[in-house]
Amino acid sequence: LGSGHKMAAEALEEAFKKHGNVKVVNGSAFDFFPKWLGNIILGGYIGILKHIPKLYDIAYHWSNTGNNSFWLRDFLNLLLSYLAQGFIKKTSPDAVIVTHPTPAGVMAQYKKRCAPGLWLGAVITDFNFHHWWIYKGLDVYFTADESIQPPPELGIPAVVTGIPVRSAFSAPFEREKWRSRLGYAADDTLCLVMGGGDGLLPMPELLRALTECRDIKGLKIAAVTGHNRNLAEKLKKMALPGVMVLDFIAELPQLLRSADIVISKAGGLTAAETLAIGTEFILYDPLPGQEVRNAGYLCEKCEAKI
């Protein structure tokens, strides 16, 4: 759930493929059950965040209190581990790295039942630690900061590596050339607004407010709408001055690196990518749960602004 977990996995895949003796298989827990069921789960998740975020906040804090919620988590992971069993046995991995709590639990259950020698690592893709990441079958956690630690009684080490980002964020980059290619002048102030693809960021209201800013010289706005075609059409019809509407683009890393200001939600991967390139970062109305906790960390330690 959430494209950030997938992007972290893609960043790891990209890095490991540079080694000739490593074969990488990038799998998703959504591959383990029917597509219609996955669509219901994803649609329900987005719907709750969009319309009744308080309910998600309650669920997040309940599940982060420890043993009271583990029975539900472990039941779901055990069921998924049986559904995933054919795929995992066919793949026959020597090591597994997970970037989301659910596949962490699925693989921990599988390891316990079928492959006790399997090496299992978990990448924490936020700037905080949630109790649903706790599994005794894990061998190591990879975290963004030394302050992000699993409970010491678990006895599983945490290695500080940072959150994985794709190589496009560190490759040589001709910023002025890319800005020109995107249609922006060297003296423009480019503000990139992201997070509207799932309808969780009020893009029309936000863009209208930004276009009324008169104290930012040469302000230009790029609004990324992801796969949300309806939102893209709505924003284009508004025809706001200085606003370019972009759908999901493969060159998003280059667009991010071309920006002077980024306005987005407080997702772990978006934050990690923005920090990696050193762009001014404004967090807009963090969602309950992990985003609020991410925002607290980013404001305290990384000079982000809400």
mmCIF file of all heavy atoms in Angstrom, residues 21-71:
data_model
loop_
_atom_site.group_PDB
_atom_site.id
_atom_site.type_symbol
_atom_site.label_atom_id
_atom_site.label_comp_id
_atom_site.label_asym_id
_atom_site.label_seq_id
_atom_site.Cartn_x
_atom_site.Cartn_y
_atom_site.Cartn_z
ATOM 1 N N ASN A 21 26.760 -11.421 -10.074
ATOM 2 C CA ASN A 21 26.454 -12.715 -9.452
ATOM 3 C C ASN A 21 25.169 -12.679 -8.628
ATOM 4 O O ASN A 21 24.906 -13.591 -7.842
ATOM 5 C CB ASN A 21 27.617 -13.164 -8.562
ATOM 6 C CG ASN A 21 27.855 -12.192 -7.408
ATOM 7 O OD1 ASN A 21 27.513 -11.020 -7.508
ATOM 8 N ND2 ASN A 21 28.446 -12.677 -6.332
ATOM 9 N N VAL A 22 24.368 -11.632 -8.792
ATOM 10 C CA VAL A 22 23.129 -11.496 -8.037
ATOM 11 C C VAL A 22 21.937 -11.483 -8.985
ATOM 12 O O VAL A 22 21.884 -10.686 -9.923
ATOM 13 C CB VAL A 22 23.117 -10.195 -7.192
ATOM 14 C CG1 VAL A 22 21.802 -10.068 -6.423
ATOM 15 C CG2 VAL A 22 24.297 -10.168 -6.233
ATOM 16 N N LYS A 23 20.990 -12.379 -8.740
ATOM 17 C CA LYS A 23 19.735 -12.388 -9.492
ATOM 18 C C LYS A 23 18.645 -11.809 -8.600
ATOM 19 O O LYS A 23 18.492 -12.208 -7.448
ATOM 20 C CB LYS A 23 19.356 -13.812 -9.904
ATOM 21 C CG LYS A 23 18.045 -13.868 -10.689
ATOM 22 C CD LYS A 23 17.674 -15.297 -11.049
ATOM 23 C CE LYS A 23 16.330 -15.335 -11.784
ATOM 24 N NZ LYS A 23 15.927 -16.731 -12.107
ATOM 25 N N VAL A 24 17.898 -10.846 -9.133
ATOM 26 C CA VAL A 24 16.895 -10.136 -8.346
ATOM 27 C C VAL A 24 15.500 -10.437 -8.871
ATOM 28 O O VAL A 24 15.239 -10.359 -10.077
ATOM 29 C CB VAL A 24 17.127 -8.605 -8.396
ATOM 30 C CG1 VAL A 24 16.100 -7.885 -7.523
ATOM 31 C CG2 VAL A 24 18.535 -8.258 -7.946
ATOM 32 N N VAL A 25 14.595 -10.798 -7.972
ATOM 33 C CA VAL A 25 13.178 -10.951 -8.287
ATOM 34 C C VAL A 25 12.414 -9.968 -7.417
ATOM 35 O O VAL A 25 12.506 -10.019 -6.192
ATOM 36 C CB VAL A 25 12.680 -12.392 -8.027
ATOM 37 C CG1 VAL A 25 11.168 -12.479 -8.285
ATOM 38 C CG2 VAL A 25 13.430 -13.377 -8.901
ATOM 39 N N ASN A 26 11.690 -9.062 -8.046
ATOM 40 C CA ASN A 26 10.941 -8.043 -7.318
ATOM 41 C C ASN A 26 9.471 -8.459 -7.286
ATOM 42 O O ASN A 26 8.776 -8.421 -8.296
ATOM 43 C CB ASN A 26 11.101 -6.685 -8.012
ATOM 44 C CG ASN A 26 10.724 -5.521 -7.114
ATOM 45 O OD1 ASN A 26 9.958 -5.695 -6.160
ATOM 46 N ND2 ASN A 26 11.243 -4.348 -7.415
ATOM 47 N N GLY A 27 8.996 -8.873 -6.122
ATOM 48 C CA GLY A 27 7.622 -9.365 -5.991
ATOM 49 C C GLY A 27 6.775 -8.426 -5.159
ATOM 50 O O GLY A 27 7.279 -7.543 -4.468
ATOM 51 N N SER A 28 5.463 -8.592 -5.244
ATOM 52 C CA SER A 28 4.523 -7.779 -4.479
ATOM 53 C C SER A 28 3.529 -8.685 -3.769
ATOM 54 O O SER A 28 3.085 -9.691 -4.327
ATOM 55 C CB SER A 28 3.759 -6.831 -5.415
ATOM 56 O OG SER A 28 2.660 -6.239 -4.744
ATOM 57 N N ALA A 29 3.174 -8.314 -2.545
ATOM 58 C CA ALA A 29 2.178 -9.095 -1.807
ATOM 59 C C ALA A 29 0.836 -9.114 -2.539
ATOM 60 O O ALA A 29 0.040 -10.039 -2.371
ATOM 61 C CB ALA A 29 2.001 -8.531 -0.399
ATOM 62 N N PHE A 30 0.578 -8.094 -3.366
ATOM 63 C CA PHE A 30 -0.672 -8.060 -4.129
ATOM 64 C C PHE A 30 -0.724 -9.144 -5.205
ATOM 65 O O PHE A 30 -1.781 -9.429 -5.752
ATOM 66 C CB PHE A 30 -0.867 -6.683 -4.771
ATOM 67 C CG PHE A 30 -1.439 -5.658 -3.835
ATOM 68 C CD1 PHE A 30 -0.621 -4.739 -3.212
ATOM 69 C CD2 PHE A 30 -2.795 -5.615 -3.563
ATOM 70 C CE1 PHE A 30 -1.128 -3.790 -2.343
ATOM 71 C CE2 PHE A 30 -3.321 -4.676 -2.697
ATOM 72 C CZ PHE A 30 -2.494 -3.766 -2.080
ATOM 73 N N ASP A 31 0.432 -9.733 -5.520
ATOM 74 C CA ASP A 31 0.454 -10.823 -6.499
ATOM 75 C C ASP A 31 -0.072 -12.125 -5.920
ATOM 76 O O ASP A 31 -0.302 -13.090 -6.652
ATOM 77 C CB ASP A 31 1.886 -11.052 -6.997
ATOM 78 C CG ASP A 31 2.438 -9.863 -7.753
ATOM 79 O OD1 ASP A 31 1.630 -9.103 -8.324
ATOM 80 O OD2 ASP A 31 3.671 -9.689 -7.771
ATOM 81 N N PHE A 32 -0.278 -12.167 -4.598
ATOM 82 C CA PHE A 32 -0.599 -13.417 -3.931
ATOM 83 C C PHE A 32 -2.093 -13.669 -3.795
ATOM 84 O O PHE A 32 -2.500 -14.705 -3.285
ATOM 85 C CB PHE A 32 0.053 -13.471 -2.541
ATOM 86 C CG PHE A 32 1.540 -13.260 -2.563
ATOM 87 C CD1 PHE A 32 2.192 -12.687 -1.488
ATOM 88 C CD2 PHE A 32 2.294 -13.644 -3.658
ATOM 89 C CE1 PHE A 32 3.557 -12.484 -1.505
ATOM 90 C CE2 PHE A 32 3.668 -13.444 -3.687
ATOM 91 C CZ PHE A 32 4.302 -12.866 -2.618
ATOM 92 N N PHE A 33 -2.917 -12.723 -4.186
ATOM 93 C CA PHE A 33 -4.362 -12.955 -4.122
ATOM 94 C C PHE A 33 -5.025 -12.296 -5.316
ATOM 95 O O PHE A 33 -4.409 -11.497 -6.034
ATOM 96 C CB PHE A 33 -4.967 -12.455 -2.801
ATOM 97 C CG PHE A 33 -4.467 -11.130 -2.305
ATOM 98 C CD1 PHE A 33 -4.945 -9.937 -2.818
ATOM 99 C CD2 PHE A 33 -3.508 -11.085 -1.309
ATOM 100 C CE1 PHE A 33 -4.484 -8.732 -2.340
ATOM 101 C CE2 PHE A 33 -3.041 -9.873 -0.840
ATOM 102 C CZ PHE A 33 -3.525 -8.698 -1.353
ATOM 103 N N PRO A 34 -6.307 -12.640 -5.597
ATOM 104 C CA PRO A 34 -6.969 -12.151 -6.812
ATOM 105 C C PRO A 34 -6.929 -10.629 -6.941
ATOM 106 O O PRO A 34 -6.989 -9.898 -5.941
ATOM 107 C CB PRO A 34 -8.408 -12.644 -6.636
ATOM 108 C CG PRO A 34 -8.309 -13.820 -5.726
ATOM 109 C CD PRO A 34 -7.179 -13.518 -4.790
ATOM 110 N N LYS A 35 -6.860 -10.165 -8.190
ATOM 111 C CA LYS A 35 -6.741 -8.731 -8.454
ATOM 112 C C LYS A 35 -7.926 -7.956 -7.898
ATOM 113 O O LYS A 35 -7.767 -6.855 -7.373
ATOM 114 C CB LYS A 35 -6.600 -8.497 -9.962
ATOM 115 C CG LYS A 35 -6.327 -7.045 -10.321
ATOM 116 C CD LYS A 35 -6.095 -6.882 -11.813
ATOM 117 C CE LYS A 35 -5.811 -5.417 -12.152
ATOM 118 N NZ LYS A 35 -5.568 -5.246 -13.608
ATOM 119 N N TRP A 36 -9.129 -8.553 -7.999
ATOM 120 C CA TRP A 36 -10.322 -7.835 -7.525
ATOM 121 C C TRP A 36 -10.247 -7.588 -6.016
ATOM 122 O O TRP A 36 -10.653 -6.545 -5.520
ATOM 123 C CB TRP A 36 -11.590 -8.604 -7.883
ATOM 124 C CG TRP A 36 -11.715 -9.972 -7.252
ATOM 125 C CD1 TRP A 36 -11.333 -11.158 -7.790
ATOM 126 C CD2 TRP A 36 -12.254 -10.274 -5.952
ATOM 127 N NE1 TRP A 36 -11.581 -12.199 -6.922
ATOM 128 C CE2 TRP A 36 -12.163 -11.684 -5.788
ATOM 129 C CE3 TRP A 36 -12.803 -9.516 -4.927
ATOM 130 C CZ2 TRP A 36 -12.597 -12.332 -4.632
ATOM 131 C CZ3 TRP A 36 -13.244 -10.161 -3.767
ATOM 132 C CH2 TRP A 36 -13.139 -11.550 -3.638
ATOM 133 N N LEU A 37 -9.671 -8.565 -5.293
ATOM 134 C CA LEU A 37 -9.539 -8.407 -3.852
ATOM 135 C C LEU A 37 -8.507 -7.333 -3.526
ATOM 136 O O LEU A 37 -8.701 -6.503 -2.626
ATOM 137 C CB LEU A 37 -9.143 -9.737 -3.209
ATOM 138 C CG LEU A 37 -8.998 -9.745 -1.682
ATOM 139 C CD1 LEU A 37 -10.278 -9.287 -1.009
ATOM 140 C CD2 LEU A 37 -8.603 -11.141 -1.197
ATOM 141 N N GLY A 38 -7.413 -7.307 -4.292
ATOM 142 C CA GLY A 38 -6.410 -6.274 -4.110
ATOM 143 C C GLY A 38 -6.968 -4.882 -4.362
ATOM 144 O O GLY A 38 -6.651 -3.925 -3.643
ATOM 145 N N ASN A 39 -7.821 -4.768 -5.382
ATOM 146 C CA ASN A 39 -8.435 -3.476 -5.695
ATOM 147 C C ASN A 39 -9.357 -3.014 -4.564
ATOM 148 O O ASN A 39 -9.421 -1.815 -4.257
ATOM 149 C CB ASN A 39 -9.223 -3.565 -7.004
ATOM 150 C CG ASN A 39 -8.309 -3.707 -8.208
ATOM 151 O OD1 ASN A 39 -7.138 -3.324 -8.163
ATOM 152 N ND2 ASN A 39 -8.825 -4.249 -9.293
ATOM 153 N N ILE A 40 -10.072 -3.964 -3.954
ATOM 154 C CA ILE A 40 -10.956 -3.622 -2.832
ATOM 155 C C ILE A 40 -10.126 -3.124 -1.644
ATOM 156 O O ILE A 40 -10.455 -2.107 -1.010
ATOM 157 C CB ILE A 40 -11.815 -4.837 -2.418
ATOM 158 C CG1 ILE A 40 -12.860 -5.134 -3.503
ATOM 159 C CG2 ILE A 40 -12.500 -4.586 -1.078
ATOM 160 C CD1 ILE A 40 -13.660 -6.394 -3.247
ATOM 161 N N ILE A 41 -9.038 -3.830 -1.339
ATOM 162 C CA ILE A 41 -8.180 -3.443 -0.215
ATOM 163 C C ILE A 41 -7.578 -2.062 -0.454
ATOM 164 O O ILE A 41 -7.629 -1.177 0.415
ATOM 165 C CB ILE A 41 -7.067 -4.487 -0.010
ATOM 166 C CG1 ILE A 41 -7.669 -5.826 0.434
ATOM 167 C CG2 ILE A 41 -6.047 -3.995 1.020
ATOM 168 C CD1 ILE A 41 -6.677 -6.960 0.464
ATOM 169 N N LEU A 42 -7.038 -1.857 -1.656
ATOM 170 C CA LEU A 42 -6.406 -0.578 -1.968
ATOM 171 C C LEU A 42 -7.432 0.549 -1.984
ATOM 172 O O LEU A 42 -7.193 1.636 -1.443
ATOM 173 C CB LEU A 42 -5.690 -0.671 -3.318
ATOM 174 C CG LEU A 42 -4.903 0.567 -3.756
ATOM 175 C CD1 LEU A 42 -3.837 0.908 -2.727
ATOM 176 C CD2 LEU A 42 -4.282 0.338 -5.121
ATOM 177 N N GLY A 43 -8.601 0.283 -2.604
ATOM 178 C CA GLY A 43 -9.650 1.296 -2.659
ATOM 179 C C GLY A 43 -10.166 1.663 -1.281
ATOM 180 O O GLY A 43 -10.425 2.837 -0.985
ATOM 181 N N GLY A 44 -10.305 0.648 -0.423
ATOM 182 C CA GLY A 44 -10.752 0.908 0.949
ATOM 183 C C GLY A 44 -9.739 1.729 1.724
ATOM 184 O O GLY A 44 -10.104 2.651 2.462
ATOM 185 N N TYR A 45 -8.477 1.413 1.545
ATOM 186 C CA TYR A 45 -7.391 2.133 2.236
ATOM 187 C C TYR A 45 -7.387 3.612 1.834
ATOM 188 O O TYR A 45 -7.366 4.508 2.681
ATOM 189 C CB TYR A 45 -6.062 1.466 1.880
ATOM 190 C CG TYR A 45 -4.823 2.171 2.377
ATOM 191 C CD1 TYR A 45 -4.478 2.146 3.720
ATOM 192 C CD2 TYR A 45 -3.986 2.841 1.488
ATOM 193 C CE1 TYR A 45 -3.326 2.777 4.168
ATOM 194 C CE2 TYR A 45 -2.836 3.473 1.925
ATOM 195 C CZ TYR A 45 -2.507 3.443 3.264
ATOM 196 O OH TYR A 45 -1.376 4.069 3.703
ATOM 197 N N ILE A 46 -7.431 3.870 0.521
ATOM 198 C CA ILE A 46 -7.421 5.250 0.029
ATOM 199 C C ILE A 46 -8.687 5.975 0.465
ATOM 200 O O ILE A 46 -8.656 7.151 0.860
ATOM 201 C CB ILE A 46 -7.283 5.278 -1.505
ATOM 202 C CG1 ILE A 46 -5.946 4.669 -1.938
ATOM 203 C CG2 ILE A 46 -7.415 6.703 -2.032
ATOM 204 C CD1 ILE A 46 -4.731 5.390 -1.417
ATOM 205 N N GLY A 47 -9.833 5.273 0.402
ATOM 206 C CA GLY A 47 -11.104 5.894 0.790
ATOM 207 C C GLY A 47 -11.117 6.332 2.250
ATOM 208 O O GLY A 47 -11.609 7.420 2.579
ATOM 209 N N ILE A 48 -10.579 5.488 3.126
ATOM 210 C CA ILE A 48 -10.524 5.837 4.551
ATOM 211 C C ILE A 48 -9.614 7.036 4.774
ATOM 212 O O ILE A 48 -9.963 7.975 5.505
ATOM 213 C CB ILE A 48 -10.050 4.623 5.381
ATOM 214 C CG1 ILE A 48 -11.148 3.554 5.421
ATOM 215 C CG2 ILE A 48 -9.680 5.045 6.799
ATOM 216 C CD1 ILE A 48 -10.715 2.254 6.043
ATOM 217 N N LEU A 49 -8.441 7.041 4.138
ATOM 218 C CA LEU A 49 -7.522 8.165 4.304
ATOM 219 C C LEU A 49 -8.132 9.466 3.790
ATOM 220 O O LEU A 49 -7.919 10.534 4.370
ATOM 221 C CB LEU A 49 -6.215 7.883 3.554
ATOM 222 C CG LEU A 49 -5.268 6.861 4.169
ATOM 223 C CD1 LEU A 49 -4.060 6.662 3.272
ATOM 224 C CD2 LEU A 49 -4.811 7.294 5.556
ATOM 225 N N LYS A 50 -8.901 9.357 2.712
ATOM 226 C CA LYS A 50 -9.450 10.556 2.073
ATOM 227 C C LYS A 50 -10.659 11.101 2.812
ATOM 228 O O LYS A 50 -10.810 12.322 2.980
ATOM 229 C CB LYS A 50 -9.814 10.236 0.625
ATOM 230 C CG LYS A 50 -10.279 11.434 -0.186
ATOM 231 C CD LYS A 50 -10.497 11.047 -1.635
ATOM 232 C CE LYS A 50 -10.934 12.249 -2.470
ATOM 233 N NZ LYS A 50 -11.150 11.874 -3.894
ATOM 234 N N HIS A 51 -11.550 10.194 3.274
ATOM 235 C CA HIS A 51 -12.838 10.640 3.795
ATOM 236 C C HIS A 51 -12.962 10.572 5.316
ATOM 237 O O HIS A 51 -13.630 11.402 5.926
ATOM 238 C CB HIS A 51 -13.960 9.825 3.151
ATOM 239 C CG HIS A 51 -14.012 9.961 1.657
ATOM 240 N ND1 HIS A 51 -14.340 11.142 1.029
ATOM 241 C CD2 HIS A 51 -13.758 9.061 0.662
ATOM 242 C CE1 HIS A 51 -14.299 10.963 -0.284
ATOM 243 N NE2 HIS A 51 -13.947 9.726 -0.530
ATOM 244 N N ILE A 52 -12.325 9.578 5.942
ATOM 245 C CA ILE A 52 -12.406 9.455 7.402
ATOM 246 C C ILE A 52 -11.010 9.151 7.971
ATOM 247 O O ILE A 52 -10.765 8.071 8.521
ATOM 248 C CB ILE A 52 -13.425 8.375 7.838
ATOM 249 C CG1 ILE A 52 -13.360 7.126 6.924
ATOM 250 C CG2 ILE A 52 -14.810 8.925 7.921
ATOM 251 C CD1 ILE A 52 -14.291 6.021 7.368
ATOM 252 N N PRO A 53 -10.089 10.116 7.824
ATOM 253 C CA PRO A 53 -8.713 9.876 8.286
ATOM 254 C C PRO A 53 -8.613 9.592 9.784
ATOM 255 O O PRO A 53 -7.668 8.939 10.222
ATOM 256 C CB PRO A 53 -7.990 11.182 7.919
ATOM 257 C CG PRO A 53 -9.074 12.200 7.771
ATOM 258 C CD PRO A 53 -10.258 11.450 7.248
ATOM 259 N N LYS A 54 -9.592 10.076 10.557
ATOM 260 C CA LYS A 54 -9.569 9.820 11.988
ATOM 261 C C LYS A 54 -9.644 8.327 12.287
ATOM 262 O O LYS A 54 -9.014 7.831 13.233
ATOM 263 C CB LYS A 54 -10.732 10.551 12.673
ATOM 264 C CG LYS A 54 -10.738 10.416 14.191
ATOM 265 C CD LYS A 54 -9.491 11.000 14.827
ATOM 266 C CE LYS A 54 -9.540 10.905 16.340
ATOM 267 N NZ LYS A 54 -8.296 11.401 16.966
ATOM 268 N N LEU A 55 -10.396 7.590 11.459
ATOM 269 C CA LEU A 55 -10.499 6.143 11.626
ATOM 270 C C LEU A 55 -9.137 5.484 11.412
ATOM 271 O O LEU A 55 -8.745 4.576 12.161
ATOM 272 C CB LEU A 55 -11.536 5.568 10.660
ATOM 273 C CG LEU A 55 -11.758 4.058 10.711
ATOM 274 C CD1 LEU A 55 -12.236 3.626 12.090
ATOM 275 C CD2 LEU A 55 -12.773 3.627 9.646
ATOM 276 N N TYR A 56 -8.410 5.947 10.400
ATOM 277 C CA TYR A 56 -7.070 5.412 10.161
ATOM 278 C C TYR A 56 -6.147 5.747 11.329
ATOM 279 O O TYR A 56 -5.327 4.923 11.747
ATOM 280 C CB TYR A 56 -6.487 5.965 8.859
ATOM 281 C CG TYR A 56 -5.100 5.439 8.575
ATOM 282 C CD1 TYR A 56 -4.920 4.186 7.998
ATOM 283 C CD2 TYR A 56 -3.963 6.175 8.920
ATOM 284 C CE1 TYR A 56 -3.647 3.693 7.760
ATOM 285 C CE2 TYR A 56 -2.691 5.682 8.692
ATOM 286 C CZ TYR A 56 -2.542 4.437 8.112
ATOM 287 O OH TYR A 56 -1.280 3.940 7.889
ATOM 288 N N ASP A 57 -6.295 6.951 11.859
ATOM 289 C CA ASP A 57 -5.476 7.373 12.995
ATOM 290 C C ASP A 57 -5.700 6.442 14.189
ATOM 291 O O ASP A 57 -4.750 6.014 14.851
ATOM 292 C CB ASP A 57 -5.836 8.810 13.367
ATOM 293 C CG ASP A 57 -4.872 9.409 14.380
ATOM 294 O OD1 ASP A 57 -3.674 9.075 14.332
ATOM 295 O OD2 ASP A 57 -5.320 10.193 15.218
ATOM 296 N N ILE A 58 -6.965 6.101 14.440
ATOM 297 C CA ILE A 58 -7.296 5.195 15.545
ATOM 298 C C ILE A 58 -6.684 3.813 15.299
ATOM 299 O O ILE A 58 -6.074 3.211 16.187
ATOM 300 C CB ILE A 58 -8.825 5.087 15.709
ATOM 301 C CG1 ILE A 58 -9.395 6.424 16.193
ATOM 302 C CG2 ILE A 58 -9.192 3.965 16.682
ATOM 303 C CD1 ILE A 58 -10.905 6.490 16.161
ATOM 304 N N ALA A 59 -6.843 3.311 14.058
ATOM 305 C CA ALA A 59 -6.306 1.990 13.715
ATOM 306 C C ALA A 59 -4.785 1.970 13.817
ATOM 307 O O ALA A 59 -4.189 0.994 14.293
ATOM 308 C CB ALA A 59 -6.751 1.602 12.308
ATOM 309 N N TYR A 60 -4.145 3.044 13.376
ATOM 310 C CA TYR A 60 -2.682 3.121 13.413
ATOM 311 C C TYR A 60 -2.175 3.041 14.850
ATOM 312 O O TYR A 60 -1.261 2.277 15.162
ATOM 313 C CB TYR A 60 -2.219 4.417 12.750
ATOM 314 C CG TYR A 60 -0.723 4.605 12.767
ATOM 315 C CD1 TYR A 60 0.073 4.121 11.726
ATOM 316 C CD2 TYR A 60 -0.081 5.273 13.814
ATOM 317 C CE1 TYR A 60 1.452 4.290 11.732
ATOM 318 C CE2 TYR A 60 1.290 5.443 13.835
ATOM 319 C CZ TYR A 60 2.051 4.956 12.789
ATOM 320 O OH TYR A 60 3.422 5.116 12.809
ATOM 321 N N HIS A 61 -2.787 3.840 15.732
ATOM 322 C CA HIS A 61 -2.320 3.856 17.117
ATOM 323 C C HIS A 61 -2.682 2.561 17.855
ATOM 324 O O HIS A 61 -1.914 2.081 18.692
ATOM 325 C CB HIS A 61 -2.899 5.075 17.840
ATOM 326 C CG HIS A 61 -2.235 6.361 17.447
ATOM 327 N ND1 HIS A 61 -2.701 7.164 16.432
ATOM 328 C CD2 HIS A 61 -1.110 6.960 17.913
ATOM 329 C CE1 HIS A 61 -1.905 8.214 16.300
ATOM 330 N NE2 HIS A 61 -0.936 8.117 17.172
ATOM 331 N N TRP A 62 -3.839 1.972 17.536
ATOM 332 C CA TRP A 62 -4.203 0.685 18.145
ATOM 333 C C TRP A 62 -3.204 -0.396 17.752
ATOM 334 O O TRP A 62 -2.740 -1.173 18.592
ATOM 335 C CB TRP A 62 -5.613 0.287 17.716
ATOM 336 C CG TRP A 62 -5.982 -1.114 18.130
ATOM 337 C CD1 TRP A 62 -6.264 -1.564 19.380
ATOM 338 C CD2 TRP A 62 -6.093 -2.259 17.260
ATOM 339 N NE1 TRP A 62 -6.551 -2.913 19.352
ATOM 340 C CE2 TRP A 62 -6.447 -3.363 18.068
ATOM 341 C CE3 TRP A 62 -5.935 -2.449 15.886
ATOM 342 C CZ2 TRP A 62 -6.650 -4.634 17.544
ATOM 343 C CZ3 TRP A 62 -6.126 -3.703 15.358
ATOM 344 C CH2 TRP A 62 -6.479 -4.790 16.188
ATOM 345 N N SER A 63 -2.842 -0.417 16.464
ATOM 346 C CA SER A 63 -1.924 -1.454 15.996
ATOM 347 C C SER A 63 -0.492 -1.201 16.446
ATOM 348 O O SER A 63 0.362 -2.091 16.351
ATOM 349 C CB SER A 63 -1.967 -1.547 14.466
ATOM 350 O OG SER A 63 -1.578 -0.322 13.862
ATOM 351 N N ASN A 64 -0.213 0.002 16.953
ATOM 352 C CA ASN A 64 1.142 0.338 17.388
ATOM 353 C C ASN A 64 1.333 0.172 18.893
ATOM 354 O O ASN A 64 2.366 0.548 19.437
ATOM 355 C CB ASN A 64 1.475 1.782 16.987
ATOM 356 C CG ASN A 64 2.972 2.028 16.946
ATOM 357 O OD1 ASN A 64 3.767 1.119 16.722
ATOM 358 N ND2 ASN A 64 3.365 3.274 17.174
ATOM 359 N N THR A 65 0.318 -0.408 19.548
ATOM 360 C CA THR A 65 0.410 -0.575 21.000
ATOM 361 C C THR A 65 0.989 -1.921 21.413
ATOM 362 O O THR A 65 1.232 -2.144 22.597
ATOM 363 C CB THR A 65 -0.979 -0.417 21.642
ATOM 364 O OG1 THR A 65 -1.884 -1.343 21.028
ATOM 365 C CG2 THR A 65 -1.501 0.990 21.465
ATOM 366 N N GLY A 66 1.179 -2.819 20.466
ATOM 367 C CA GLY A 66 1.793 -4.091 20.825
ATOM 368 C C GLY A 66 0.877 -5.284 20.665
ATOM 369 O O GLY A 66 0.152 -5.411 19.681
ATOM 370 N N ASN A 67 0.859 -6.172 21.650
ATOM 371 C CA ASN A 67 0.235 -7.486 21.528
ATOM 372 C C ASN A 67 -1.263 -7.457 21.251
ATOM 373 O O ASN A 67 -1.819 -8.423 20.728
ATOM 374 C CB ASN A 67 0.494 -8.301 22.799
ATOM 375 C CG ASN A 67 1.972 -8.611 22.973
ATOM 376 O OD1 ASN A 67 2.702 -8.722 21.994
ATOM 377 N ND2 ASN A 67 2.413 -8.722 24.216
ATOM 378 N N ASN A 68 -1.954 -6.374 21.594
ATOM 379 C CA ASN A 68 -3.401 -6.321 21.395
ATOM 380 C C ASN A 68 -3.807 -6.478 19.940
ATOM 381 O O ASN A 68 -4.922 -6.907 19.644
ATOM 382 C CB ASN A 68 -3.961 -4.994 21.934
ATOM 383 C CG ASN A 68 -3.909 -4.928 23.449
ATOM 384 O OD1 ASN A 68 -3.853 -5.965 24.105
ATOM 385 N ND2 ASN A 68 -3.910 -3.734 23.997
ATOM 386 N N SER A 69 -2.914 -6.102 19.021
ATOM 387 C CA SER A 69 -3.264 -6.169 17.600
ATOM 388 C C SER A 69 -2.529 -7.274 16.857
ATOM 389 O O SER A 69 -2.812 -7.525 15.692
ATOM 390 C CB SER A 69 -2.943 -4.826 16.929
ATOM 391 O OG SER A 69 -1.541 -4.595 16.933
ATOM 392 N N PHE A 70 -1.580 -7.938 17.516
ATOM 393 C CA PHE A 70 -0.750 -8.907 16.816
ATOM 394 C C PHE A 70 -1.549 -10.112 16.329
ATOM 395 O O PHE A 70 -1.192 -10.735 15.332
ATOM 396 C CB PHE A 70 0.397 -9.372 17.701
ATOM 397 C CG PHE A 70 1.524 -8.375 17.806
ATOM 398 C CD1 PHE A 70 2.614 -8.629 18.610
ATOM 399 C CD2 PHE A 70 1.489 -7.188 17.102
ATOM 400 C CE1 PHE A 70 3.651 -7.716 18.720
ATOM 401 C CE2 PHE A 70 2.515 -6.266 17.196
ATOM 402 C CZ PHE A 70 3.600 -6.528 18.008
ATOM 403 N N TRP A 71 -2.634 -10.469 17.022
ATOM 404 C CA TRP A 71 -3.410 -11.643 16.606
ATOM 405 C C TRP A 71 -3.999 -11.433 15.214
ATOM 406 O O TRP A 71 -3.989 -12.366 14.379
ATOM 407 C CB TRP A 71 -4.537 -11.915 17.616
ATOM 408 C CG TRP A 71 -5.567 -10.806 17.681
ATOM 409 C CD1 TRP A 71 -5.560 -9.721 18.504
ATOM 410 C CD2 TRP A 71 -6.742 -10.683 16.859
ATOM 411 N NE1 TRP A 71 -6.652 -8.918 18.263
ATOM 412 C CE2 TRP A 71 -7.390 -9.481 17.261
ATOM 413 C CE3 TRP A 71 -7.303 -11.457 15.847
ATOM 414 C CZ2 TRP A 71 -8.576 -9.044 16.671
ATOM 415 C CZ3 TRP A 71 -8.489 -11.024 15.258
ATOM 416 C CH2 TRP A 71 -9.102 -9.830 15.665
#
